[in-house]
Structures are given as C-alpha cells and as structure tokens.
C-alpha cells in the first residue's frame, strides 16, 4: 500500500464521497499536536523541527535577555531552560531512542546555544568540554534527559493512560525491533546502575 500510494510521483488515492470521486493527496510528513509525523517513521523531521523552533526562540530573546550581561547568569540559565530547552525537548518522553547521529544533532544545537548564553570566547570554547558546559548550566545531556522524560512518561501512561494505549505499546514491542518499550527497558537499567553508583559513593 505504501509503495502504491505513497512512493509514487503523485502520492494519494481516489475515494468515493457519495456520488463523487475525490483524490486525497498524501503528505510525506505532517504536524499533529505540535509533533511532526513522517511516513518513513523516523525522527529526522521531528528533530529538525525541534531544533528549528528552539533556535528561532533563542534568536528572539538572545539580545534582550539570554545574552544580556547585566542579567545574572543563574537567572539567564533558568530562563533558557523554560523558554528554549522546553521547546527543544518537547515530547521527548514519547520518542523512540534516536540514532547516534540524531542525538549528536540535538547535543550540537544545545551546546551552540549554551556557548552563546555564557558569552564564551574562542579560547573558552576550546578548553571547555561539553560535560563541563552542561554542568555549568545545571542541565543533563540529551541522552540522560531522554531517559528521565521517558521514565516520567511511562509512569503517567501506566498510572493514568487508557488500556488501549498500554496494549498498543506492548504490541509494538512484540513487533518492532526498536520499539519505545525497548528504550524504556534500557532506561530502567540505566536508572538502576545510577542508583548503585550513588549508594557506592555514600
């Protein structure tokens, strides 16, 4: 069906509406409730949209607020989290695990904006590692943020979500090799390992 109706020169199909035949055009991607969905089932479109939205929002408030040296750094960082980071990671908990390339794109966009936020010189950029930059901003890496958001989303799904959604998640896990549930299982393993490390430090 996809090869016949989507992967052709004029994507779509004829349907009957009463006595009339109407051609319905199929789009390769569309936005629903703020999230981009793609016919190829990848996150590329959504990630590019998230990065574009975050960068656009950053550009609008960079000069008067986020890069304003007269505003304390701690205040600017808090504003960055609420105004920019929230746009970049919107809906993150519902994503399947992005590829390494996709995760690198998210991290590169976040890193670039943080360097501008802290008004870092070329020398500071060359001597400051990405983990140090995230620590200065008191934020976690995109991969850690994905794990935290996905665990929080899972809690809401199994506490308040409809049975139909829970069933669909289990069916996807049974049929798809890179399912959302598989990512959740890896995140639970990560959480347990972090808890063990925390106990060992104590």
């Amino acid at each position: 069906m996809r090869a016949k109706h989507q992967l052709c020169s004029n994507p779509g199909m004829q349907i009957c509406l009463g006595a009339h035949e109407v051609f319905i055009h199929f789009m390769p991607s569309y936005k629903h409730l703020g999230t981009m969905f793609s016919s190829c089932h990848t996150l590329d479109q959504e990630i590019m949209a998230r990065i574009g939205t975050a960068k656009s929002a950053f550009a609008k408030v960079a000069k008067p607020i986020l890069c304003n040296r007269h505003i304390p750094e701690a205040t600017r960082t808090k504003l960055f989290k609420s105004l920019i980071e929230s746009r970049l990671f919107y809906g993150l908990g519902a994503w399947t695990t992005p590829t390494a390339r996709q995760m690198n794109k998210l991290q590169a966009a976040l890193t670039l904006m943080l360097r501008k936020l802290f008004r870092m010189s070329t020398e500071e950029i060359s001597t400051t590692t990405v983990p140090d930059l995230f620590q200065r901003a008191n934020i976690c890496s995109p991969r850690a943020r994905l794990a935290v958001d996905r665990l929080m989303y899972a809690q809401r799904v199994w506490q308040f979500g409809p049975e139909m959604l829970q069933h669909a998640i289990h069916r996807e896990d049974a049929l798809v090799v890179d399912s959302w549930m598989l990512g959740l299982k890896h995140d639970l393993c990560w959480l347990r390992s972090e808890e063990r490390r925390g106990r060992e430090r104590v």
Side-chain angles (χ1 to χ4, degrees), residues 141-193:
S141 69
R143 182 61 187 91
R145 172 70 183 260
L146 170 65
V148 172
D149 282 17
R150 190 152 47 190
L151 288 164
M152 292 174 64
Y153 179 67
Q155 181 187 25
R156 291 194 294 271
V157 166
W158 266 272
Q159 187 173 2
F160 305 110
E163 289 185 12
M164 180 188 69
L165 175 58
Q166 298 169 13
H167 177 71
I169 289 172
H170 282 292
R171 290 302 300 152
E172 183 204 30
D173 185 46
L175 299 171
V176 181
V177 294
D178 59 345
S179 67
W180 179 87
M181 179 74 84
L182 178 64
L184 177 64
K185 292 173 183 176
H186 285 300
D187 293 341
L188 286 168
C189 291
W190 168 78
L191 180 63
R192 292 191 190 102
S193 66

Side-chain angles (χ1 to χ4, degrees), residues 94-111:
W95 291 5
T96 55
T97 304
T99 64
R101 178 182 58 82
Q102 291 168 338
M103 196 63 76
N104 287 339
K105 284 186 176 181
L106 284 169
Q107 182 160 301
L110 183 61
T111 302

Side-chain angles (χ1 to χ4, degrees), residues 51-70:
I51 291 173
T53 301
K55 284 185 173 181
S56 177
F58 185 89
K60 287 179 181 177
V61 295
K63 188 174 181 179
I65 301 173
L66 296 180
C67 299
N68 188 338
R69 68 175 75 241
H70 301 294

Side-chain angles (χ1 to χ4, degrees), residues 26-83:
F26 292 165
M27 298 294 293
S29 62
Y30 68 96
K31 181 179 281 190
H32 178 67
L33 298 177
T35 300
M36 290 293 297
F37 291 90
S38 172
S39 62
C40 59
H41 307 293
T42 69
L43 287 168
D44 287 328
Q45 292 281 346
E46 172 64 2
I47 287 173
M48 293 308 296
R50 293 288 103 222
I51 291 173
T53 301
K55 284 185 173 181
S56 177
F58 185 89
K60 287 179 181 177
V61 295
K63 188 174 181 179
I65 301 173
L66 296 180
C67 299
N68 188 338
R69 68 175 75 241
H70 301 294
I71 299 175
E73 184 176 293
T75 302
R76 288 187 283 123
T77 303
K78 289 178 182 178
L79 289 169
F80 177 85
K81 290 179 182 178
S82 61
L83 299 174

